């Protein structure tokens, strides 16, 4: 605990020094008068796109169009509707509203969560600090076809309090995990599946849907994904299915309340005019009826034409009485609909907690697992941490500490690690280290050793450089057809030797290379013309922006840094190294040794390709200026194998 807290403080200090606030744009703000309680006011906004930072219970600031920032907290999140709680009354105006989060708020929440870990023994066991018990079990029949190491991994996880599933690229990690979860659920266990990103959880959920044994849980809304939208397992859809009447009431209340409030605003100036006329008439003649103050055309703004004509024939005093009576009726209707809306919102809020409480399989991000108030009191029989190699160590500790019986760590130590702002050695050691490195070689770890994603030539490169040649290859259907197509027909792996210069702009350290960008775009278009999905990967923001501008949003071509493609695959991958004379190789690609961060970056980049991999690099430059690096090993291996083009 002391190590984690010290590391968290170091990371917070780095963020406070070097990071700016994180902003989330909001749309269509309006007050929620039905929820206002004394000095506490509530406001609804539309969230244009999901954000992992937007979680109920989190404190932040609301920046108004004027630039003023008001402290608020997130009260509710239902679909795209966000409800904010404020102790300051706001005047909602036209213009851009933004939620402002300090970058270190997740670390504040993490620090607080460490104060109370339900099952610290299991958390310590996940770090190898407690003995691991194992009980032999007979394996049931598998629904999915699994190879030998996949079966061994499932059996280990069923028998052991701790298991580590090492899944190199394309080795069927998600399929193996789906089979394991189905068997655990069949034993009556409650399961938490967590990861650093929703994208990883989406892939797991998709494979769970294809597992027939889990169909009853899906049908009973007992598989829930927290913090995601757009599918029937997301929390909002589950609540809508189980609280349909409250959803319907809330949907009807909004336009009805808006209409009633508009009528109230329209009637006030008419009543004021009638009251003035009635008072004047009373003073002028106490013994005769004064003519009406309001004409039919004025009253027609709030009444039907027939009723407006009748009211116009009345005296000013009578018009006042009729208008006051109508105001009282509107007040009663507004109060009634506000009470209905408040009750519906309360039902939906309790419905969210009920859906989480009754879930048998719950998927959520690691951050949500310790931030969301819906999970504060949640415990599970089994906790699965997907992409564990990318996770911060305290986050893994907190997730594992929710497990009563077992923890399963899933990932690949040779892929992308956790990202920290701090360069403090203590923080890097105590918080940013890979959980696989913490555990070391253990009997609870099994590596899946058959890859099904990559063409054998690509798979052999990845296996040789990053897995000591330990991978076998069963390429997917169609990999040969992809390799046979353009560019470089018949070749699955190509090292394209180019000339060019790497440049930077004044005041900007990010690099770009016009020649390699041009080549990458030309090759990507050739592949896309064959109907292939294409990833263009480069290590520098400036180069990515340049290539994206040249591609003009081609739907078959994605261009980004490697972090965007973690967990994904494409038919064709083009890796643009970008580095070239006169600059030295950048730190992203100049690392030495299989355990370096650049090795992880290169591994993920190369292993995204199903059928064709093209590496664009100046060969002489790499051999002279980056000798001994992992990048140089890639180049030398390609040259030795004859995969070289100029």
């Amino acid at each position: 605990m002391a190590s984690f807290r010290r590391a968290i403080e170091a990371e917070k200090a780095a963020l406070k020094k070097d990071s700016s606030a994180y902003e989330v744009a909001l749309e269509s703000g309006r007050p929620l008068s039905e929820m206002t309680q004394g000095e506490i006011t509530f406001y609804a906004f539309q969230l244009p796109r999901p954000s992992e930072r937007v979680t109920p219970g989190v404190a932040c600031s609301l920046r108004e169009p004027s630039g003023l920032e008001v402290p608020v907290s997130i009260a509710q999140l239902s679909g795209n509707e966000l409800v904010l709680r404020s102790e300051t009354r706001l005047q909602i105006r036209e213009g851009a509203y933004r939620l402002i989060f300090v970058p270190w708020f997740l670390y504040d929440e993490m620090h607080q969560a460490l104060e109370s870990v339900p099952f610290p023994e299991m958390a310590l066991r996940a770090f190898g600090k407690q003995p691991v018990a194992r009980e032999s079990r007979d394996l049931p029949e598998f629904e999915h076809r699994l190879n030998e190491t996949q079966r061994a991994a499932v059996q280990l996880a069923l028998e052991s309090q701790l298991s580590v599933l090492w899944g190199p690229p394309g080795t069927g990690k998600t399929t193996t995990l789906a089979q394991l979860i189905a068997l655990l659920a069949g034993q009556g266990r409650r399961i938490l599946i967590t990861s650093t990103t929703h994208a990883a959880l989406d892939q797991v959920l998709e494979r769970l849907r294809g597992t027939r044994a889990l169909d009853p849980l899906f049908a009973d809304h007992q598989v829930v994904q927290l913090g995601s939208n757009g599918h029937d397992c997301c929390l909002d859809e589950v609540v809508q299915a189980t609280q349909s009447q409250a959803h319907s009431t809330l949907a009807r209340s909004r336009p009805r309340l808006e209409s009633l409030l508009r009528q109230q605003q329209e009637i006030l100036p008419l009543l004021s005019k009638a009251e003035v006329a009635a008072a004047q008439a009373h003073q002028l003649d106490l013994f005769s009826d004064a003519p009406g103050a309001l004409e039919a055309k004025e009253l027609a703004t709030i009444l039907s034409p027939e009723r407006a004509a009748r009211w116009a024939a009345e005296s000013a005093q009578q018009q006042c009485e009729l208008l006051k009576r109508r105001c009282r009726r509107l007040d009663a209707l507004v109060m009634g609909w506000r009470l209905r809306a408040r009750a519906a919102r309360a039902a939906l809020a309790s419905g969210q907690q009920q859906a989480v409480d009754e879930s048998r399989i719950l998927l959520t991000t690691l951050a949500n697992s310790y931030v969301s108030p819906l999970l504060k009191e949640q415990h599970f029989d089994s906790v699965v941490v997907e992409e564990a190699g990318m996770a911060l160590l305290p986050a893994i500790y907190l997730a594992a500490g929710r497990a009563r019986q077992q923890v399963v760590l899933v990932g690949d130590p040779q892929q992308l690690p956790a990202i920290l702002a701090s360069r403090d050695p203590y923080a890097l050691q105590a918080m940013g280290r890979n959980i696989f490195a913490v555990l070391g070689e253990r009997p609870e770890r099994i590596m899946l050793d058959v890859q099904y994603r990559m063409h054998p030539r690509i798979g052999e490169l990845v296996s040789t450089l990053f897995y000591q040649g330990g991978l076998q290859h069963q390429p997917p259907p169609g990999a040969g057809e992809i390799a046979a197509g353009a560019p470089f027909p018949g070749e699955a792996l190509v090292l394209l030797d180019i000339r060019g210069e790497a440049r930077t702009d004044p005041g900007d350290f990010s690099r770009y290379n016009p020649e390699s960008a041009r080549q990458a775009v030309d090759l990507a278009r050739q592949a896309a013309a064959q109907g292939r999905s294409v990833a263009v990967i480069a290590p520098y923001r400036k180069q990515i922006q340049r290539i994206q501008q040249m591609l003009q949003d081609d739907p078959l071509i994605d261009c980004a840094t490697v972090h965007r493609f973690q967990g994904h695959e494409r038919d064709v991958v083009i890796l643009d190294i970008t580095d070239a004379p006169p600059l030295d190789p950048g730190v992203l690609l100049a690392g030495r040794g299989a355990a370096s961060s650049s090795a992880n970056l290169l591994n993920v980049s190369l292993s995204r390709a199903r059928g064709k991999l093209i590496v664009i690099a100046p060969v002489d430059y790499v051999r002279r200026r980056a000798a001994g690096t992992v990048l140089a090993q890639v180049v030398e291996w390609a040259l030795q194998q004859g995969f070289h083009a100029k």
Side-chain angles (χ1 to χ4, degrees):
M1 293 296 95
S3 295
F4 285 155
R5 292 190 183 101
R6 179 177 166 185
I8 288 170
E9 290 305 316
E11 178 67 3
K12 284 174 59 179
L15 289 170
K16 289 179 180 180
K17 179 181 179 182
D18 298 327
S19 299
S20 57
Y22 182 87
E23 300 184 8
V24 174
L26 302 178
E27 296 176 350
S28 305
R30 61 187 178 85
L32 289 176
S33 55
E34 70 271 17
M35 292 184 64
T36 296
Q37 302 168 353
E39 297 299 317
I40 306 300
T41 55
F42 293 84
Y43 303 88
F45 288 86
Q46 291 297 305
L47 196 63
R49 60 187 62 84
S51 172
E52 294 185 9
R53 287 175 169 80
V54 179
T55 302
V58 170
C60 51
S61 298
L62 179 67
R63 181 184 294 162
E64 298 182 331
S66 65
L68 179 68
E69 292 189 14
V70 179
V72 297
S73 62
I74 299 174
Q76 295 178 7
L77 177 62
S78 178
N80 293 329
E81 185 183 72
L82 176 69
V83 177
L84 300 179
R85 178 184 187 273
S86 174
E87 296 183 9
T88 303
R89 191 171 296 275
L90 307 177
Q91 294 294 327
I92 303 298
R93 305 178 178 87
E94 291 293 326
Y97 283 83
R98 292 180 177 274
L99 279 186
I100 310 299
F101 298 87
V102 293
W104 54 89
F105 87 94
L106 284 177
Y107 293 104
D108 288 336
E109 296 287 340
M110 181 185 287
H111 195 287
Q112 183 176 352
L114 287 169
E115 300 291 337
S116 177
V117 178
F119 303 104
E121 296 83 2
M122 284 304 303
L124 289 169
R125 192 167 282 119
F127 282 71
K129 304 303 182 184
Q130 291 285 333
V132 176
R134 183 169 179 177
E135 180 182 350
S136 296
R137 294 176 181 269
D138 293 330
L139 274 183
E141 288 296 320
F142 288 171
E143 181 175 324
H144 296 290
R145 295 181 58 186
L146 303 183
N147 63 39
E148 184 177 343
T149 54
Q150 290 171 337
R151 294 175 67 88
V154 171
Q155 179 152 15
L156 172 64
L158 289 174
E159 296 178 348
S160 180
Q161 290 177 304
L162 171 68
S163 59
V164 182
L165 174 56
W166 180 2
T171 51
K173 177 186 63 178
T174 308
T175 298
T176 307
L177 185 56
Q179 182 65 75
L180 170 62
I181 291 168
L183 294 175
L184 292 174
Q187 295 175 358
R189 296 196 186 188
R190 188 174 188 228
I191 306 161
L192 171 66
I193 307 172
T194 186
S195 182
T196 54
T197 66
H198 284 297
L201 296 173
D202 290 342
Q203 291 187 340
V204 174
L205 181 62
E206 182 180 355
R207 194 54 55 92
L208 294 180
R209 288 183 188 279
T211 305
R212 290 190 304 276
L214 296 175
D215 287 348
L217 296 185
F218 280 98
D220 291 340
H221 308 292
Q222 292 183 312
V223 181
V224 178
Q225 185 171 358
L226 190 63
S228 180
N229 286 310
H231 55 77
D232 60 349
C233 291
C234 72
L235 183 60
D236 290 324
E237 294 295 328
V238 172
V239 173
Q240 186 166 353
T242 57
Q243 303 286 335
S244 58
Q245 184 174 353
H247 259 285
S248 175
T249 299
L250 191 59
R252 287 186 292 115
S253 70
R254 183 178 305 166
R256 187 62 177 147
L257 271 171
E258 289 175 353
S259 174
L260 291 170
L261 292 171
R262 185 170 59 251
Q263 291 179 55
Q264 284 183 322
Q265 293 300 314
E266 291 171 345
I267 205 171
L268 290 177
L270 299 178
L271 177 58
S272 177
K273 182 177 179 180
E275 286 177 332
V276 170
Q280 291 174 345
H282 181 72
Q283 293 169 359
L284 291 173
D285 188 351
L286 297 177
F287 304 101
S288 63
D289 290 335
L294 301 171
E295 298 178 0
K297 63 180 181 181
E298 295 176 283
L299 292 165
T301 60
I302 63 169
L303 301 171
S304 66
E306 295 80 6
R307 182 172 291 185
R310 290 199 303 271
W311 284 30
E314 300 288 349
S315 67
Q317 290 91 337
Q318 188 62 29
Q319 287 179 346
C320 281
E321 290 304 317
L322 291 168
L323 290 170
K324 288 177 180 178
R325 189 184 307 162
R326 188 170 183 83
C327 283
R328 289 193 294 271
R329 181 170 179 273
L330 287 173
D331 289 342
L333 289 171
V334 166
M335 180 59 69
W337 279 105
R338 281 179 174 169
L339 290 174
R340 291 188 189 96
R342 184 178 298 176
R345 287 188 179 277
L348 293 176
S350 63
Q352 287 187 333
Q353 189 64 66
Q354 180 182 344
V356 170
D357 291 345
E358 295 178 354
S359 64
R360 289 279 308 285
I361 299 175
L362 183 69
L363 301 94
T364 192
T365 60
L366 283 163
N368 247 340
S369 72
Y370 58 82
V371 170
S372 174
L374 295 172
L375 296 178
K376 292 296 184 184
E377 305 299 326
Q378 299 295 313
H379 304 152
F380 301 86
D381 300 307
S382 303
V383 170
V384 177
V385 182
E386 167 68 310
E387 302 288 9
M390 296 179 66
L392 296 172
L393 294 180
I396 294 177
Y397 187 92
L398 290 171
R402 293 184 181 272
R404 296 186 186 92
Q405 298 182 39
Q406 73 167 156
V407 176
V408 181
L409 301 175
V410 184
D412 181 4
Q414 299 302 105
Q415 297 197 42
L416 300 182
I419 299 175
L420 289 180
S422 174
R423 296 295 94 195
D424 181 277
Y426 194 94
L428 294 172
Q429 176 77 3
M431 187 160 70
R433 209 162 27 131
N434 192 305
I435 185 63
F436 293 89
V438 173
L439 287 168
E441 294 292 335
R442 298 182 61 87
E444 294 87 14
R445 183 166 85 173
I446 289 182
M447 186 183 92
L448 307 183
D449 60 5
V450 182
Q451 71 86 11
Y452 300 90
R453 173 188 296 166
M454 298 168 277
H455 190 286
R457 289 181 179 174
I458 304 170
E460 192 62 34
L461 168 65
V462 171
S463 177
T464 300
L465 291 182
F466 306 109
Y467 300 99
Q468 295 77 49
L471 293 181
Q472 304 173 49
H473 311 290
Q474 290 191 19
E481 294 179 11
I482 298 170
F488 305 107
E491 299 293 343
L493 174 60
V494 177
L495 171 63
L496 179 59
D497 185 10
I498 67 160
R499 300 293 179 264
E501 291 186 353
R503 306 173 185 174
T504 59
D505 290 333
D508 189 346
F509 295 104
S510 188
R511 303 180 180 191
Y512 63 98
N513 184 326
E515 176 59 22
S516 67
R518 185 188 64 78
Q519 290 276 7
V521 169
D522 179 60
L523 295 171
R525 285 175 173 161
Q526 291 184 51
Q530 307 286 313
R532 304 303 182 189
S533 61
V534 184
V536 180
I537 302 174
Y540 301 106
R541 168 183 51 82
K542 203 80 172 183
Q543 186 76 344
I544 292 295
Q545 292 173 347
R546 193 179 192 91
I547 293 173
Q548 288 174 338
Q549 290 172 358
M550 298 168 70
L551 286 171
Q552 298 179 341
D553 297 325
D554 189 311
L556 288 175
I557 306 173
D558 288 327
C559 178
T561 58
V562 64
H563 294 83
R564 161 83 176 277
F565 295 103
Q566 172 88 355
H568 297 273
E569 57 189 65
R570 297 292 187 274
D571 294 335
V572 178
V573 169
I574 300 167
L575 175 59
D576 176 7
I577 299 302
T578 308
D579 282 334
L583 304 177
D584 288 330
V587 294
L588 291 176
L589 297 177
R592 301 172 187 273
S596 67
S597 60
S598 61
N600 293 348
L601 289 164
L602 282 167
N603 181 23
V604 175
S605 301
L606 302 174
S607 61
R608 302 306 95 191
R610 295 190 193 102
K612 190 181 290 286
L613 170 65
I614 303 171
V615 180
I616 302 175
V619 172
D620 289 343
Y621 168 84
V622 172
R623 300 177 87 175
R624 287 185 294 104
R625 304 278 286 272
T629 65
V630 179
L631 173 60
Q633 294 177 41
V634 172
V635 168
E636 293 299 335
W637 194 90
L639 292 173
Q640 291 170 12
Q641 300 296 321
F643 305 132
H644 180 209
K646 292 188 177 181

